[in-house]
Amino acid sequence: MKRLVTAMILLMTPLVPALAQADNALRLVVQQNGQSLVSEERELPLPKGRGQVVLPDLPETIEAQTMQVRSQSAPNALKVLDLALDAEPLTQAALLRRHVGKSVDLVLPDGKTRDGRTQKQATVLSAKEPPVFLVDGRVYAGPVEAVIYPELPTGLSARPGLVMNVENTGAARQTIELCYLARELSWTMDYMLVMDGDGDRAQLSGWVTLNNRSGRDFKNAKVELLAGETRDNSRPVLARAYASAAKLDGAEAYDDADGGEVFEHHLYRLKRPVTLFNQQSRQTKLFESANIPLTRKLIGRASAMPSGRETDPIKQKLDVVLSFRNTEALGLGLPLPSGTLRAFQEDGRARRMVGETRLDRVAVGSMAELRLGRAFDLNVERIANAYEKTGKNSYRGAWELRIFNAKKHSQRIVLQEQLPGKWKIESASSKWTKPSAGVAEFVLDVPPTRDGKPVVVTYAFSTEL
């Protein structure tokens, strides 16, 4: 069957006269998981006594059960008796379903010429795919070029509309506040770390990308970003976020990106209102730091327990790890939400990308660690020299670690040998420390080994599991 193309003749009759609407204030509390709290103010004409009010232009992804309505002009004069959300989307399937047993007009091939068409009156018998019609007293389930509907059924619209039954003893025009949750309105975090030529210092900037797939435009919205791991049932957290933000007036609220803590989460405020159209992504800067000092390490982590089947040397790569401390004295001091970090290095006028990694959230005062890949010119060969079982649950092993450095200058590396159970280093050719219960760590300054002769570290251990 050819693709069904639906042509609609819509005779629209509103429930109430058209409402003059103006968005006076719009606030979004956006989560990274795509669920957001929307708060907006609208000036609306209201009926005297009991009547109906229609609120159009709501997001397609609204969660109707979360809607809260109150009058800011006269909170005690307006009572909302009930709410009805006409939320069934306007689609071909919905139109056919609403017209089962009713008459429509079909545009059909005329069967005489290749491009000929004819229009027939028909009754919809079934809305399932493919649809079935009664045409000229006969059942028809063939190709349909278009369906022409006589009217738009009540409750179908391109976007949801809210119908309120209210009782109003106040003014005929009031400022109404709406507060509700909507889905598919989210944000992501991206960081840019630009290092100097030596890689000792860097400029860190944070950019927020807002994504709107909610089915509605948001114009000049004040935006707060809620960061942290929330459960799906996060309405209490969003409600507290809105209550916290509402205590600040417009100028004060947007002076600083850090909006403070909400429950066990953090709130960030964008400094300027944002216009975000439906199906649009918009990027805006959250912060930019001063030059921060970086620490670079080359780290190798490996299990010290041999398998007993090692015959050839084991190749071990070294991770390149950059770290910095998140403090105000270094130009930061803002809780950093999780996001994607891209690192660049500048050399004169040239800027080159050197790695990309995921930055987990970093509290104020904490260290951030960035694993940006593997070292190219440094590697380790691991040779198991001994492995034996010395008791029911006790073992002994020995390793020879051969370190190669193809660079022109000496490099500091950190080798972390992971040891299980109650272990002891029996002998070692280099100094070692115990940074944690299951790790023996060697910190080595490795000179260039371009002559092919590696730096060798040996050690033996015993352990009881």
Side-chain angles (χ1 to χ4, degrees):
M1 176 178 177
K2 293 183 179 180
R3 184 180 178 181
L4 186 64
V5 180
T6 306
M8 298 174 293
I9 300 176
L10 307 179
L11 305 176
M12 301 181 61
T13 306
L15 294 177
V16 295
L19 301 174
Q21 177 184 328
D23 290 344
N24 294 330
L26 180 60
R27 189 189 300 274
L28 306 177
V29 181
V30 185
Q31 289 190 90
Q32 288 177 301
N33 66 3
Q35 188 182 52
S36 301
L37 182 71
V38 182
S39 175
E40 58 178 301
E41 296 176 7
R42 301 187 184 189
E43 285 191 14
L44 299 176
L46 298 173
K48 281 290 186 180
R50 293 197 176 189
Q52 285 190 336
V53 179
V54 177
L55 294 174
D57 196 30
L58 294 173
E60 294 175 5
T61 58
I62 186 174
E63 297 187 8
Q65 68 275 20
T66 67
M67 174 65 75
Q68 298 179 44
V69 182
R70 70 183 182 94
S71 171
Q72 287 192 338
S73 305
N76 297 324
L78 181 66
K79 293 182 180 179
V80 179
L81 304 178
D82 61 50
L83 301 170
L85 185 70
D86 295 330
E88 187 174 7
L90 182 58
T91 63
Q92 297 181 36
L95 280 167
L96 275 172
R97 190 168 55 250
R98 293 292 190 94
H99 282 83
V100 171
K102 299 180 180 179
S103 294
V104 296
D105 287 334
L106 301 182
V107 177
L108 306 169
D110 64 5
K112 298 177 181 178
T113 61
R114 180 177 179 180
D115 298 321
R117 299 292 182 269
T118 184
Q119 184 168 322
K120 294 273 189 175
Q121 190 175 57
T123 301
V124 182
L125 298 180
S126 172
K128 294 181 179 180
E129 185 65 29
V132 180
F133 303 92
L134 185 66
V135 181
D136 295 336
R138 303 175 70 182
V139 177
Y140 179 79
V144 175
E145 294 295 326
V147 182
I148 302 175
Y149 297 93
E151 61 182 359
L152 178 68
T154 302
L156 285 184
S157 62
R159 59 181 56 179
L162 186 71
V163 180
M164 300 189 302
N165 284 307
V166 301
E167 184 175 343
N168 178 35
T169 58
R173 192 174 189 86
Q174 298 179 26
T175 299
I176 304 299
E177 182 187 49
L178 308 177
C179 189
Y180 53 87
L181 291 178
R183 292 172 283 104
E184 297 187 45
L185 183 62
S186 63
W187 67 283
T188 56
M189 190 72 195
D190 290 275
Y191 296 94
M192 180 180 289
L193 184 78
V194 182
M195 298 181 288
D196 60 17
D198 297 326
D200 297 328
R201 305 189 71 85
Q203 186 90 8
L204 180 69
S205 58
W207 290 81
V208 171
T209 301
L210 293 164
N211 301 291
N212 181 14
R213 304 292 184 268
S214 69
R216 181 201 159 168
D217 300 335
F218 296 96
K219 299 179 180 179
N220 297 320
K222 295 181 178 180
V223 178
E224 286 91 26
L225 310 171
L226 191 65
E229 295 181 9
T230 59
R231 296 178 60 185
D232 289 341
N233 188 8
S234 55
R235 294 167 194 162
V237 176
L238 284 170
R240 279 190 286 269
Y242 172 68
S244 172
K247 294 178 181 178
L248 302 175
D249 62 39
E252 182 183 0
Y254 290 83
D255 280 345
D256 194 346
D258 185 6
E261 297 180 12
V262 180
F263 192 55
E264 292 299 324
H265 312 284
H266 272 277
L267 191 70
Y268 304 86
R269 297 189 177 93
L270 301 186
K271 295 182 179 181
R272 290 176 295 277
V274 173
T275 294
L276 189 64
F277 295 108
N278 182 41
Q279 300 299 320
Q280 184 183 56
S281 296
R282 182 178 293 274
Q283 192 175 50
T284 183
K285 185 177 288 187
L286 185 66
F287 73 90
E288 185 167 9
S289 78
N291 284 326
I292 57 176
L294 295 176
T295 301
R296 180 167 58 176
K297 292 182 180 179
L298 300 175
I299 300 179
R301 294 185 175 94
S303 172
M305 286 294 287
S307 68
R309 298 185 297 273
E310 290 85 0
T311 56
D312 298 324
I314 301 170
K315 301 292 185 180
Q316 179 183 359
K317 298 294 185 180
L318 300 177
D319 292 328
V320 181
V321 179
L322 297 180
S323 60
F324 62 87
R325 189 169 293 279
N326 181 13
T327 65
E328 188 173 356
L330 299 177
L332 292 173
L334 176 77
L336 301 178
S338 60
T340 300
L341 183 141
R342 297 171 181 87
F344 301 83
Q345 189 164 29
E346 285 189 335
D347 185 7
R349 294 184 178 181
R351 177 179 293 185
R352 301 175 180 89
M353 186 173 178
V354 296
E356 177 179 318
T357 187
R358 182 73 179 172
L359 178 67
D360 290 331
R361 58 183 185 274
V362 184
V364 175
S366 297
M367 289 291 293
E369 283 199 349
L370 313 171
R371 283 171 172 75
L372 293 178
R374 299 283 181 82
F376 188 92
D377 293 317
L378 286 99
N379 59 79
V380 179
E381 288 184 355
R382 304 175 59 85
I383 300 172
N385 286 335
Y387 178 64
E388 59 180 326
K389 188 173 183 179
T390 57
K392 182 179 180 180
N393 295 308
S394 58
Y395 301 85
R396 181 184 178 277
W399 286 96
E400 179 180 315
L401 310 178
R402 299 175 180 178
I403 308 160
F404 297 88
N405 175 16
K407 288 183 175 291
K408 296 179 180 180
H409 305 288
S410 179
Q411 299 291 312
R412 173 163 289 191
I413 70 170
V414 178
L415 298 180
Q416 295 181 342
E417 302 294 294
Q418 300 170 344
L419 290 152
K422 186 178 180 181
W423 57 271
K424 181 170 67 172
I425 299 294
E426 302 287 353
S427 63
S429 63
S430 298
K431 292 182 179 180
W432 62 278
T433 60
K434 186 178 180 179
S436 62
V439 174
E441 183 175 273
F442 296 89
V443 180
L444 306 164
D445 289 317
V446 182
T449 60
R450 293 190 169 191
D451 57 0
K453 295 180 180 179
V455 172
V456 177
V457 174
T458 60
Y459 75 94
F461 71 93
S462 60
T463 185
E464 184 176 350
L465 302 179

